[in-house]
Structures are given as C-alpha cells and as structure tokens.
Amino acid sequence: MKNKNIKILKLSQTALFAALCFVSFTFLQIKIPVPGGDATSLHVGNTFCVLAALLLGGWYGGLAGAIGMTIADLLDPVYILVAPKTFVLKFCIGLITGLVAHNYAKITKSNNKKYVFKWSIIASICGLSFNVVFDPIVGYFYKQYILGQPQKAASVLAKLSAFTTFFNAIVSVILIALIYNAIMPILKKSGFLLPVGSDEK
C-alpha cells in the first residue's frame, strides 16, 4: 500500500478515534462538582486515546485524544477554559504510549500473543501514568497562574482530580487490555491493521 494511501486511512481512523474520545467523555462521564464552579469527572475518554496510539502510532493516537477531548471541553461550560491544558496532556498520553509500544517493544511486528498482551498493558500504563501525575499538577498551576483561581480552590480541585484521574487510569488499562488484544488479531487477518512509523510504505 502506498504511503499516501496509508496516511489518508490513518487520518480517517484518527478522526474516528477522536469521535470516540469525544462521545465517551461527553456522554459516558460522571461529573463530580467542586466548590467554585469547577468539576472533575470519572470517564473512559482516555481509553480511546491510548487504543488509537496502540493501533495507529503515538502521533496519530495523541492527535485523536487531543482533538476529541479538547472539542468535548470546548462544548462544556465547566471545562471550556481548560481546553488548552487538555490538548497538551492528551497528546502526550498518545506520544508516550506509542513510544513504548512501537519504538521500544515493536508490538505490531510480534506474533507472540503473550508478548503483545504484556507490552500493550505496559505501554498503556506508561501513557496513563503520565496523565495521573501531570494532570493534577498542570491543572493546579494552570488554574492558579493562568486563570487566576484562588490557591485553596485550585488545591482542592488538584487533590480530587488526582483521585479521579487514578481511578480513570485503572479502568482504562483494563478496558484497553481487553479491547486491543481482542480486535488486534482480527484487524491483522482482515488487513485493516495499518503499519506504524518506518513501516508506512
């Protein structure tokens, strides 16, 4: 398959995963209000960001998560002001997941199911661990120094966000392990699993 055709297909699949990120965050979330008009959420939006990175590569996966989740924030009055933060963090989740899965473990080149299962989980954990650590930290400084929120309110939101982000990560890793390892062999057999990185020829 020509490189141009692969890129078109990947962009199409990236748009699909961006839509899945948007839908899963917008309609499958449990919003937890925080004093001051803020909120944090239990959701599975990051699941599709990581799945996209495992299937399409870190760049496309990060783009899918960043676009889908940022649009979701822009359309939600509670989250609209944190949309720039969301774009950066979700893009990084995809990049880190893709770096571990494809640049280091090269999971798409292996036919060993145990190896692929193990590294898909490790890559997912690496990407989502970044989010668990940096979402509350970046959120705290963003709220306080960019949006001018009082320190106490920003601190309360950061602490609650740390809990929900950790819970979301655990749920996402479980879902990713089940979904990715179930659909990957099917995509390989059907020819729909597109090459990643240097294999895009």
Side-chain angles (χ1 to χ4, degrees):
M1 192 180 290
K2 292 183 179 180
N3 190 280
K4 186 177 179 180
N5 293 335
I6 290 174
K7 286 189 176 179
I8 291 172
L9 285 172
K10 280 202 171 183
L11 286 173
S12 300
Q13 292 183 3
T14 300
L16 173 63
F17 275 105
L20 288 170
C21 288
F22 169 80
V23 170
S24 60
F25 179 78
T26 303
F27 301 106
L28 300 177
Q29 68 164 295
I30 299 173
K31 194 170 286 182
I32 302 171
V34 176
D38 280 313
T40 185
S41 298
L42 299 174
H43 66 88
V44 293
N46 295 331
T47 301
F48 297 100
C49 174
V50 173
L51 273 174
L54 291 174
L55 291 168
L56 305 174
W59 174 263
Y60 291 97
L63 203 57
I67 292 172
M69 302 285 275
T70 299
I71 292 174
D73 277 1
L74 290 172
L75 296 177
D76 189 325
V78 175
Y79 294 123
I80 188 170
L81 293 177
V82 297
K85 172 185 77 78
T86 296
F87 187 92
V88 173
L89 289 174
K90 304 314 172 188
F91 190 69
C92 288
I93 291 173
L95 288 179
I96 293 168
T97 301
L99 181 68
V100 175
H102 301 293
N103 293 64
Y104 182 77
K106 303 186 185 303
I107 58 175
T108 54
K109 293 183 178 179
S110 176
N111 292 316
N112 186 321
K113 290 183 179 180
K114 288 184 179 179
Y115 178 86
V116 172
F117 182 77
K118 179 182 78 172
W119 280 102
S120 65
I121 291 176
I122 292 173
S124 302
I125 290 172
C126 289
L128 292 170
S129 292
F130 164 85
N131 195 53
V132 168
V133 173
F134 284 95
D135 186 83
I137 294 174
V138 173
Y140 172 78
F141 287 104
Y142 184 84
K143 286 281 186 178
Q144 188 176 354
Y145 296 106
I146 303 296
L147 301 181
Q149 191 176 64
Q151 182 180 2
K152 186 176 180 181
S155 178
V156 170
L157 180 61
K159 288 175 183 177
L160 188 54
S161 178
F163 167 76
T164 56
T165 305
F166 180 70
F167 181 83
N168 292 340
I170 292 173
V171 173
S172 291
V173 168
I174 294 169
L175 289 174
I176 292 159
L178 295 173
I179 297 171
Y180 177 75
N181 289 282
I183 66 172
M184 201 265 286
I186 298 170
L187 293 174
K188 261 189 175 180
K189 282 186 179 180
S190 62
F192 285 110
L193 186 66
L194 299 174
V196 177
S198 60
D199 292 338
E200 295 177 16
K201 296 177 181 177

